Amino acid sequence: MVLHYKDQHYKSIKARCQRDGRLFEDSAFPASDQSLFYSRNPPPGVVWKRPQELVQSPHLFAEGGISPRDLQQGSLGNCWFVAAASCLAGDESVWKKVIPSPHEQDWPTSASHTHAGVFRFRLWRFGQWVELVIDDRLPTVGGELLFCRPERKGGAFWCALLEKAYAKLNGSYEALDGGSTAEALIDFTGGISEPIKLLEENLGSDVEKKKKLFKALIKAYSRSSLISASIRPYPGQSEEEVLSSGLVTGHAYSVTSVRSITLRSGLLSLFQTHKLRLIRLRNPWGSGEWTGAWSDGSEEWKRVSHSQRKKMGVTVSDDGEFWMSWDDFCTHFTDLTLCRRVNTSFLSTHKTWTQESAMSAWNQDPSPLKDRSGGCPNYKETYLHNPQFSFDVTLDQDCALISLEQEDRRTQRSSGQGGNLPIGFFVFKVEVNRKYRLHRTPCRVSSSTYINSRSVFLRTELQKGRYVILPTTYSPGQTGSFLLRVYTDKASQLRELTQDVPKPSWLSCCLGTPRLVTSVTVHAASGLSVLGKNQDPAVHVTIHCEGKKVTSRTVRGRNPEFDLKGVFYRKREQRPIVVQVWQSNCLRDTLLGSVSVPCTAGEIDQTSVLKIQGKEGRSAGYIMIETSTSSDLTML
């Protein structure tokens, strides 16, 4: 489903303009100073012109189609956007979604068709695709485009028009002054952004780690991830300072290729070979390149055959695009951003993920869930007031990709409120049957960093079980909407926990209402007695309470680690909880032993090593159980 921004529909606008014989003028984003800047005056002599007033035969794409070399950054500090647009142009499956039906939109080549001056673009924003309609009036000074422009005169205008659509979505061109390539890549793809801080990865002293990252980069590039890189300025360095290497600090470069090539040398060249890892980048300025090894025209290229250089697209010109070795890249660059388009198509031969998503908000509504904006764990009294989401890992082990994205505040920059909230999240392993909100902090298994970015990302390996995600702002009382997305191998049943305790039913007057809540964790068993000759049994454990049961994953060995958690809302204090250990068989499971665990109010956080009673009174080993019981139903 596509949302039409400002309820403007491209086809109806185009048909109306062609019928009336006029060019479209967009009143929702007028050709005026208010569309340019909100905090400063535009430069003198700004004139809004259409491309046909600038060149004789304008085109959306240059001859030969769309290319990462089509664009140059203008006078706006939006290299992050231009770098992302360069990545966009390198992948047909991406740009065709952002620029729908380009041939239909292009300037007509015959007099039989009239140009309506209207264009459309689609951007992914906060969980849905948004279609924006713009006119083709662009700001110029002295007959030259003020902002993003074609690399050569008479070239492609797609990027200048896309930039205008992006400015419209964000309120003005000035709203694009400073930003994150990761944000733009998400808007172009609907994917999830994974930041990699190269300095913190300590790649200089860990050769294997460096090889592993390059392998992951090749894999991501081959699966159409969009990639950008930048150099964080050191203390004392200015933004966009040109270094002696030709690279620019605080500058967003687009990664346009990742290659591993084989080099041969010496008389025994058939036998003496080594792999060379190369990466190609593009400067959004359209000029200014790396001057070290493997730069344009460097001596190193003589070791690569002419045919291979041609295949790799090696050019010797100051076009802003250059190659460098992976080692040099890791030495000079500080940050990588991978925008992954997570594959959810079951018809694909590549790794397929299942996606679950949920929309929610941090707010200060006092009911029914307190203030729902409790801040990070530093604020112990309010932390668990935040929205809570549970999801399930159904495999014995699964990789989960988790993305938290807040609503874009760039449109609020004109009022001085356009900064992102510092956000992050924690992942807890909870009881496998938990349906209600947490009121005590359980065991943390993973967490993201807290950062004032539009989105934060986490990749984590998880064991089978149920988990709770707590997305939070860093400080309490901060409000805003957010989108939470979870990708796993199997469906995870992501859902928001909205109830604190079980609701009383109409049978409560007859059967009673829960008075106690007990949390039970079975950690491990040891010395299991096994029937028959199998000395390495497949076993699982169950917990029973007042007709309810939870079951662990099946594990092997005489000393298995179960880590099974269950929570029970109990009506009868005197009835014990029963823990049973079973040997898993194809036809019928065999009970190895069981133990009754008394759990009365006041027995808080009690850990016991209990003997399991097997058949005919024989010992079946020992099991470690942790219990916690409270008469306050909101405590666990």
Side-chain angles (χ1 to χ4, degrees):
M1 179 180 175
V2 176
L3 175 70
H4 293 272
Y5 187 74
K6 301 286 188 181
D7 200 30
Q8 293 177 304
H9 295 259
Y10 169 77
K11 289 188 176 180
S12 60
I13 291 174
K14 185 174 183 178
R16 189 162 55 248
C17 289
Q18 288 178 331
R19 183 193 64 207
D20 298 342
R22 61 181 178 86
L23 295 174
F24 176 54
E25 295 186 2
D26 185 10
S27 59
F29 196 65
S32 64
D33 290 353
Q34 71 184 60
S35 297
L36 293 175
F37 300 103
Y38 56 81
S39 68
R40 61 183 188 267
N41 294 324
V46 173
V47 179
W48 294 76
K49 292 187 175 183
R50 299 182 189 268
Q52 58 266 35
E53 298 176 273
L54 298 172
V55 298
Q56 186 174 2
S57 300
H59 296 283
L60 197 59
F61 299 155
E63 186 177 352
I66 191 171
S67 167
R69 300 187 179 96
D70 285 342
L71 55 149
Q72 286 187 8
Q73 182 183 350
S75 62
L76 202 61
N78 65 342
C79 63
W80 58 277
F81 167 81
V82 180
S86 186
C87 291
L88 164 79
D91 192 307
E92 183 178 10
S93 63
V94 179
W95 67 254
K96 279 192 171 181
K97 185 170 287 188
V98 175
I99 313 173
S101 57
H103 296 296
E104 176 193 327
Q105 297 193 66
D106 210 347
W107 283 265
T109 56
S110 65
S112 60
H113 295 84
T114 57
H115 180 57
V118 58
F119 290 86
R120 62 172 172 167
F121 298 90
R122 288 179 181 171
L123 298 169
W124 192 92
R125 184 54 66 93
F126 211 48
Q128 60 185 339
W129 286 95
V130 179
E131 181 167 296
L132 295 105
V133 174
I134 60 166
D135 62 34
D136 59 0
R137 293 178 294 177
L138 300 170
T140 69
V141 173
E144 297 290 336
L145 289 175
L146 183 60
F147 302 129
C148 189
R149 63 199 63 162
E151 185 184 35
R152 56 188 182 276
K153 189 131 179 117
F157 281 89
W158 66 268
C159 190
L161 295 169
L162 174 60
E163 182 185 48
K164 181 174 183 178
Y166 209 68
K168 178 178 179 177
L169 181 64
N170 288 284
S172 68
Y173 276 96
E174 187 182 355
L176 307 185
D177 199 350
S180 163
T181 305
E183 295 178 11
L185 292 178
I186 291 172
D187 290 340
F188 291 158
T189 64
I192 54 177
S193 182
E194 179 178 358
I196 301 172
K197 298 185 182 300
L198 299 174
L199 287 178
E200 297 173 11
E201 293 291 329
N202 195 27
L203 299 178
S205 59
D206 195 332
V207 176
E208 287 304 314
K209 197 172 185 179
K210 189 186 294 187
K211 288 181 180 178
K212 186 177 180 181
L213 179 57
F214 185 81
K215 187 176 179 180
L217 201 64
I218 280 189
K219 188 174 181 181
Y221 182 78
S222 68
R223 295 186 179 180
S224 302
S225 296
L226 303 188
I227 308 168
S228 71
S230 61
I231 302 171
R232 214 178 307 158
Y234 289 106
Q237 283 184 325
S238 60
E239 289 282 344
E240 299 201 335
E241 176 181 331
V242 180
L243 304 175
S244 58
S245 62
L247 301 175
V248 184
T249 62
H251 207 51
Y253 290 81
S254 55
V255 174
T256 58
S257 187
V258 185
R259 289 287 187 95
S260 179
I261 64 174
T262 301
L263 291 181
R264 295 180 171 87
S265 59
L267 295 175
L268 301 177
S269 60
L270 292 176
F271 306 100
Q272 294 180 347
T273 64
H274 73 274
K275 288 286 186 182
L276 175 66
R277 301 175 182 87
L278 292 173
I279 184 168
R280 188 176 67 192
L281 301 102
R282 188 174 191 279
N283 185 340
W285 286 348
S287 62
E289 301 180 2
W290 159 252
T291 57
W294 299 101
S295 60
D296 289 358
S298 69
E299 290 293 316
E300 286 80 7
W301 285 111
K302 293 180 180 179
R303 299 163 59 190
V304 181
S305 67
H306 177 75
S307 60
Q308 192 168 13
R309 291 201 302 269
K310 186 176 180 180
K311 185 178 179 181
M312 293 173 64
V314 177
T315 59
V316 184
S317 60
D318 187 18
D319 56 3
E321 195 166 46
F322 57 89
W323 291 89
M324 62 191 306
S325 72
W326 177 240
D327 287 341
D328 281 336
F329 175 87
C330 293
T331 299
H332 289 82
F333 281 84
T334 61
D335 295 271
L336 260 177
T337 298
L338 274 69
C339 184
R340 299 179 183 274
R341 290 184 292 151
V342 184
N343 181 24
T344 57
S345 171
F346 290 103
L347 300 177
S348 173
T349 56
H350 293 306
K351 165 71 176 175
T352 299
W353 303 80
T354 59
Q355 175 188 315
E356 307 271 351
S357 62
M359 298 279 293
S360 190
W362 299 289
N363 57 48
Q364 294 181 289
D365 184 359
S367 64
L369 299 175
K370 302 183 179 179
D371 61 20
R372 290 175 59 85
S373 181
C376 71
N378 293 348
Y379 303 91
K380 296 180 181 179
E381 296 299 318
T382 58
Y383 170 56
L384 291 176
H385 296 178
N386 287 292
Q388 301 180 13
F389 299 83
S390 72
F391 71 99
D392 298 326
V393 173
T394 57
L395 300 177
D396 285 343
Q397 185 170 357
D398 200 352
C399 177
L401 309 179
I402 305 173
S403 171
L404 174 65
E405 182 177 350
Q406 61 182 306
E407 194 168 20
D408 194 358
R409 298 180 171 226
R410 191 176 291 272
T411 56
Q412 302 173 29
R413 284 190 171 186
S414 59
S415 60
Q417 301 177 356
N420 292 318
L421 299 174
I423 60 172
F425 57 87
F426 279 69
V427 182
F428 301 104
K429 188 167 188 181
V430 298
E431 303 88 352
V432 294
N433 60 339
R434 174 164 286 279
K435 299 178 181 178
Y436 308 104
R437 288 173 54 85
L438 295 169
H439 298 276
R440 291 175 62 188
T441 304
C443 175
R444 175 173 66 91
V445 295
S446 197
S447 64
S448 74
T449 56
Y450 276 82
I451 187 171
N452 60 341
S453 172
R454 204 178 84 186
S455 67
V456 292
F457 171 82
L458 175 70
R459 173 192 291 269
T460 182
E461 295 287 339
L462 299 174
Q463 301 289 332
K464 183 177 182 179
R466 181 161 294 178
Y467 296 84
V468 165
I469 303 173
L470 258 75
T472 84
T473 57
Y474 186 81
S475 301
Q478 296 179 309
T479 61
S481 301
F482 64 84
L483 169 66
L484 179 66
R485 289 185 282 172
V486 176
Y487 296 87
T488 50
D489 194 45
K490 302 293 182 182
S492 64
Q493 303 299 320
L494 179 71
R495 56 211 175 273
E496 185 169 3
L497 302 177
T498 57
Q499 289 182 244
D500 285 304
V501 294
K503 289 183 177 180
S505 68
W506 64 275
L507 290 174
S508 298
C509 57
C510 302
L511 303 178
T513 58
R515 297 184 302 108
L516 299 175
V517 57
T518 299
S519 175
V520 183
T521 303
V522 181
H523 291 287
S526 62
L528 294 180
S529 297
V530 183
L531 299 176
K533 298 180 180 180
N534 186 1
Q535 297 301 309
D536 190 22
V539 292
H540 67 270
V541 67
T542 57
I543 306 174
H544 304 257
C545 177
E546 295 188 14
K548 301 289 195 307
K549 180 180 79 170
V550 295
T551 303
S552 76
R553 63 192 178 99
T554 299
V555 294
R556 286 194 171 274
R558 293 174 59 83
N559 303 297
E561 297 280 346
F562 294 111
D563 194 27
L564 172 65
K565 300 175 186 288
V567 62
F568 302 94
Y569 291 83
R570 302 166 57 206
K571 301 173 184 176
R572 298 170 179 83
E573 180 176 351
Q574 301 305 318
R575 287 195 178 183
I577 288 175
V578 177
V579 178
Q580 297 179 332
V581 180
W582 298 80
Q583 181 176 353
S584 301
N585 298 305
C586 296
L587 299 178
R588 183 179 180 182
D589 294 341
T590 303
L591 179 65
L592 299 182
S594 65
V595 63
S596 295
V597 184
C599 297
T600 57
E603 295 181 4
I604 302 296
D605 297 338
Q606 185 175 31
T607 302
S608 306
V609 179
L610 300 175
K611 187 177 182 180
I612 306 169
Q613 195 70 21
K615 289 188 176 183
E616 300 176 0
R618 292 179 298 177
S619 171
Y622 296 86
I623 193 164
M624 186 168 69
I625 301 172
E626 181 181 319
T627 60
S628 181
T629 300
S630 174
S631 56
D632 182 355
L633 297 187
T634 66
M635 282 298 293
L636 298 173

